[in-house]
Amino acid sequence: SGPVQKCKNRVPIVIQSFERESLEAFSDTDLPLVFLLDKHYSNYNLDEIAKFAHGIGIHFTALFNQNIVEKAH
C-alpha cells in the first residue's frame, strides 16, 4: 500500500510515456498505461504497442489521419 495506491482512490492516475520500458515498469499495477507517439506515428506498430499499453496518445495532427484513428480502434 504505497503512495500510488493511496492516491489512486482520490485522483485518477494514468501512466504516460514515450518509452516502452517505462510503461513495462508499471505492468504489475492496474493503472492505465498510455504509449505516447510522436508526430511520426506511421513508424509505430499498433499491434505491438497493444501488448504492453492500454492506449496511445497521439500528436494532435494525427487526429486528422483517418488511417491511424481506424487502426487505433
Side-chain angles (χ1 to χ4, degrees):
S1 151
V4 170
Q5 293 299 74
K6 291 177 183 175
C7 284
K8 196 174 103 177
N9 295 331
R10 296 181 301 164
V11 179
I13 298 174
V14 177
I15 305 300
Q16 301 181 65
S17 179
F18 286 101
E19 300 294 330
R20 177 182 186 150
E21 294 80 16
S22 297
L23 294 178
E24 288 175 337
F26 289 91
S27 64
D28 61 342
T29 71
D30 61 348
L31 298 172
L33 306 176
V34 177
F35 187 67
L36 301 175
L37 307 180
D38 60 25
K39 55 184 167 182
H40 303 290
Y41 50 84
S42 61
N43 296 339
Y44 295 95
N45 180 333
L46 296 182
D47 291 329
E48 186 64 27
I49 293 169
K51 294 176 183 176
F52 64 89
H54 298 103
I56 58 172
I58 58 177
H59 192 268
F60 77 94
T61 58
L63 293 173
F64 304 105
N65 182 316
Q66 191 63 32
N67 188 36
I68 190 84
V69 172
E70 287 174 5
K71 282 184 178 181
H73 288 96

